[in-house]
Amino acid sequence: MPNPYTGIGNPYTRSEVNERLRDTLSKGEPIIVAGAGSGISAKSIEQGGADLIIIYASGRFRMMGHGSIAGMMAYGDANAIAMEIGEYEVLPVVQEIPVICGVHASDPRRRMWHWLLQVKNMGFSGINNFPTHTIIDGHFRQSLEETNMGVQKEIDCVQLATSKMDLFSIVYVATPEEAMKMAKAGADVIIAHVGCTVGGSIGVSDAAIGLDAAAKATQAICEAAHSINKDIIILSHGGPIATPSDAAYINEHTDTVGFVGASSIERLAVEDSITELTREFKSIPVKRIK
């Protein structure tokens, strides 16, 4: 059944989003997903041919000149920020591709079933688990888990979205165990997260692991997820995977079929192009007045 909203943005059903992604793969093309923190970024991402756009709180902070990790901190209501970017900036300008909402599933102030209804009614075609506690470790992670604000909340949210709300889900995981749990919860796409993106003025200066190690970690996630659902789509993200050639390397050495870029697409492109263009303008000749 054709989507009556196609051509004016969103929404798409869960099956329609999956059909679009499968169609991309059938053409021999990688799936490329990009984070957008502003309307102009979203427009450019769509024009570049991305398959999905994800909106999350870190995008707002990136475009303010701060590190993406700010989206993980208590500097604002992550759910409200994602909704605001979607409502006023991205959804009004995206013409055709699905837009996904980052959901902070462990926020104890939200009734997730109620919030997911608002996400769907706004016109988002799916959810992503960001901010995500999968990338937190150590004593803080243990405290989150023990106080019922851990990753299980994200897993429960994905299960609710896919089984009750007909919402597509594309989710971050950092370990094979998390990949298996998300696959069992019904996640449509899994993103193997291997750390904060390296590079630029506000990225981390050095990845915790190199590209070879990132490929091994990613493949372990692929195998775990495929042990539950052999057809689930796996994408790479983060750490040393910052350029098209990096993403190509991971595709070649793992079972991933694409890449999710946030800082690596939105922030690094802006930093490089604006800096160079400004330098070009500063180098133009001028007739000096004596």
Side-chain angles (χ1 to χ4, degrees):
M1 179 177 179
N3 180 1
Y5 298 97
T6 300
I8 57 171
N10 283 298
Y12 290 94
T13 66
R14 181 187 179 194
S15 63
E16 286 169 341
V17 179
N18 277 304
E19 286 170 11
R20 291 171 64 93
L21 298 183
R22 298 292 175 185
D23 183 60
T24 293
L25 294 177
S26 72
K27 296 174 183 176
E29 299 174 359
I31 293 171
I32 301 300
V33 181
S38 69
I40 191 64
S41 294
K43 290 183 73 171
S44 300
I45 288 165
E46 181 171 34
Q47 290 169 4
D51 297 284
L52 301 174
I53 290 174
I54 304 179
I55 300 171
Y56 25 48
S58 62
R60 169 63 55 80
F61 290 104
R62 274 196 302 273
M63 302 312 286
M64 292 168 62
H66 307 300
S68 297
I69 200 69
M72 294 286 296
M73 306 300 289
Y75 301 148
D77 183 337
N79 284 311
I81 291 170
M83 184 69 78
E84 182 181 68
I85 297 172
E87 181 175 9
Y88 298 113
E89 297 191 51
V90 173
L91 289 170
V93 300
V94 170
Q95 294 298 305
E96 200 271 334
I97 65 174
V99 180
I100 309 303
C101 185
V103 173
H104 193 188
S106 62
D107 185 341
R109 303 165 300 171
R110 304 279 182 183
R111 296 165 292 161
M112 269 301 115
W113 64 268
H114 183 255
W115 184 246
L116 292 181
L117 285 173
Q118 294 180 61
V119 167
K120 187 170 184 177
N121 288 337
M122 182 55 65
F124 289 101
S125 297
I127 66 162
N128 167 256
N129 60 326
F130 192 90
T132 176
H133 295 172
T134 61
I135 58 175
I136 297 174
D137 57 14
H139 293 302
F140 185 44
R141 171 67 177 271
Q142 182 179 346
S143 296
L144 288 170
E145 299 293 343
E146 290 179 355
T147 54
N148 199 32
M149 288 181 279
V151 173
Q152 187 60 46
K153 288 286 189 179
E154 300 174 31
I155 296 168
D156 292 343
C157 179
V158 168
Q159 186 167 26
L160 176 62
T162 55
S163 65
K164 301 292 186 182
M165 305 288 187
D166 193 32
L167 280 166
F168 170 85
S169 63
I170 174 169
V171 301
Y172 287 116
V173 303
T175 67
E177 181 184 13
E178 290 165 356
M180 293 176 69
K181 289 180 179 179
M182 282 295 193
K184 289 178 181 178
D188 297 290
V189 177
I190 283 179
I191 309 166
H193 197 307
V194 293
C196 292
T197 302
V198 173
S201 64
I202 53 176
V204 296
S205 60
D206 189 27
I209 58 176
L211 204 55
D212 287 338
K216 291 178 181 178
T218 298
Q219 182 58 20
I221 287 171
C222 291
E223 292 173 2
H226 286 151
S227 72
I228 304 300
N229 178 0
K230 63 182 179 60
D231 296 321
I232 199 167
I233 292 170
I234 318 288
L235 308 176
S236 63
H237 173 78
I241 316 168
T243 67
S245 61
D246 295 334
Y249 180 90
I250 299 298
N251 274 3
E252 291 167 4
H253 291 82
T254 72
D255 294 329
T256 59
V257 293
F259 173 71
V260 176
S263 293
S264 52
I265 291 180
E266 181 178 49
R267 174 175 61 80
L268 295 180
V270 169
E271 289 180 347
D272 293 343
S273 60
I274 292 179
T275 300
E276 290 306 312
L277 186 57
T278 303
R279 285 173 179 159
E280 287 184 35
F281 274 112
K282 282 295 290 182
S283 69
I284 65 175
V286 60
K287 186 176 181 179
R288 300 185 182 278
I289 300 175
K290 296 182 180 179

